[in-house]
Amino acid sequence: MTTMPTPGEPDASTSASDQARLRRDKVRVAVLVWQLCEQHSIRALAAGGTIFAQLGLVSPRVSPTATVIVEPIHQLHLILALEGVGWSRSSPGYTRGFLPPVFVRLVHPAVVCPIDVYDIFPGFYVPPAEAFEQLWTRRVELPMGGIGVPSLDRVSTMLVAGHDQLGTLARDRRAVSHIDYFVSMFRNSLTPEEQDEVVALVDAVQGHEPLRPFLTAIGRAHREITLPSEIYCQVRLVVDRVSDPIIFAVALFESPPGHRGGPFWSITRRHPARVIRALLAAPRSIAIIVGSRARQRRQLEARPAHE
């Protein structure tokens, strides 16, 4: 998603003219995606830096990609629709860990910015379709290119930006200043009612784990680790069935490196017998997780491009 800068941080990666073209192209992309979604009856939301200023939030520096959040069942449909108008899939580069990436990147020879099409947020542990529904219900229409484009609202944008920023930064001990900055923006940019709605939305999507540093900073952290739902694990690993060992394994694999001891002992205290069974089944669970990237790739290639 869009990376949020620290206060006063310049974006030295592009010139002013490059940034202007990037902003224009991101608006063009948002309009194109909306038109394709209308044509193919797909639900999707514009997100990221394109909408920050219109929502009255602190505008991040120009990010290199356009972000789209699509209803999970329609991710492949949107990708095929984009390929039908000249876009092509591109590798997003290295992604951490064994679990599959949560977005597909597409590029176009005439457009500066790639499109990242997200269908799932790692650590939002309700079924992914429910997480999307929570965001879709809150959507607003923002003017872009002369039309209203369905977009995240202020509360959802803060949730998604926090997930993106703090879920990554939680792995880095140098992230304290970034967390402080995000908390400051949360408190200064949102009304008290909106702040409560952000926390309620975290509860609704069961997004406590990636947002735990933020929730701790504002005094709203849950004490116990949240475990993923069965459907979340099925979608995340591209499998038809999951068991306790798989659920526990996904929770641990999605914990930030260096912070897995706490979740493990929390789970062990609450579910000792289930943990013992999970440890006995660990080799098979790890094999299923390791194979998830290949299964996702086969799923996305199940239908030919431009079908």
Side-chain angles (χ1 to χ4, degrees), residues 7-300:
E9 179 183 20
D11 184 7
S13 60
T14 56
S15 68
S17 60
D18 289 337
Q19 289 185 35
R21 180 181 175 186
L22 183 55
R23 290 184 188 278
R24 288 195 301 270
D25 276 4
K26 291 175 80 169
V27 171
R28 289 173 53 204
V29 165
V31 171
L32 168 66
V33 169
W34 176 85
Q35 291 170 337
L36 290 174
C37 288
E38 283 280 286
Q39 181 181 346
H40 295 277
S41 300
I42 295 170
R43 296 195 298 175
L45 295 161
T50 308
I51 67 175
F52 263 74
Q54 291 196 57
L55 293 173
L57 299 172
V58 176
S59 180
R61 64 186 178 192
V62 181
S63 63
T65 61
T67 299
V68 175
I69 302 169
V70 66
E71 187 174 13
I73 195 173
H74 285 142
Q75 184 197 39
L76 181 56
H77 299 146
L78 179 55
I79 292 168
L80 294 173
L82 285 162
E83 288 179 333
V85 293
W87 293 77
S88 59
R89 298 177 215 188
S90 171
S91 170
Y94 174 74
T95 54
R96 296 174 181 266
F98 293 114
L99 296 176
V102 295
F103 65 92
V104 174
R105 177 164 293 171
L106 298 101
V107 296
H108 193 286
V111 181
V112 173
C113 59
I115 304 175
D116 288 345
V117 180
Y118 285 77
D119 70 329
I120 189 172
F121 292 95
F124 287 6
Y125 281 158
V126 297
E130 291 185 21
F132 177 84
E133 202 65 41
Q134 290 287 339
L135 302 179
W136 179 260
T137 299
R138 301 191 60 92
R139 72 191 182 281
V140 294
E141 285 196 355
L142 297 179
M144 298 183 200
I147 62 173
V149 175
S151 308
L152 297 181
D153 74 335
R154 284 164 53 87
V155 169
S156 300
T157 294
M158 188 65 67
L159 175 82
V160 171
H163 171 276
D164 175 50
Q165 186 74 347
L166 302 185
T168 300
L169 290 172
R171 301 174 179 140
D172 189 342
R173 292 183 180 179
R174 297 170 298 178
V176 174
S177 63
H178 293 263
I179 294 174
D180 289 345
Y181 172 57
F182 184 84
V183 170
S184 175
M185 187 175 73
F186 168 83
R187 287 176 172 157
N188 295 329
S189 300
L190 300 185
T191 66
E193 293 77 16
E194 288 174 326
Q195 293 176 24
D196 289 339
E197 289 178 39
V198 171
V199 176
L201 190 54
V202 173
D203 289 336
V205 300
Q206 294 181 20
H208 309 102
E209 300 316 313
L211 289 167
R212 193 171 289 275
F214 164 67
L215 294 171
T216 299
I218 63 171
R220 304 280 192 102
H222 285 230
R223 289 175 292 178
E224 298 289 357
I225 185 173
T226 304
L227 290 172
S229 65
E230 290 188 16
I231 296 177
Y232 173 88
C233 292
Q234 290 169 355
V235 174
R236 191 78 175 92
L237 300 179
V238 197
V239 293
D240 294 329
R241 291 181 296 175
V242 296
S243 58
D244 276 356
I246 295 294
I247 293 172
F248 292 157
V250 168
L252 291 176
F253 269 84
E254 289 196 328
S255 297
H259 295 264
R260 291 182 174 132
F264 176 80
W265 290 116
S266 176
I267 294 172
T268 301
R269 288 195 305 271
R270 292 159 60 194
H271 312 285
R274 292 170 66 185
V275 168
I276 291 174
R277 291 195 297 270
L279 291 173
L280 293 174
R284 183 173 181 274
S285 301
I286 292 173
I288 291 173
I289 288 176
V290 169
S292 60
R293 284 178 178 251
R295 288 192 298 275
Q296 184 198 62
R297 186 168 56 251
R298 289 194 297 270
Q299 182 185 67
L300 289 171

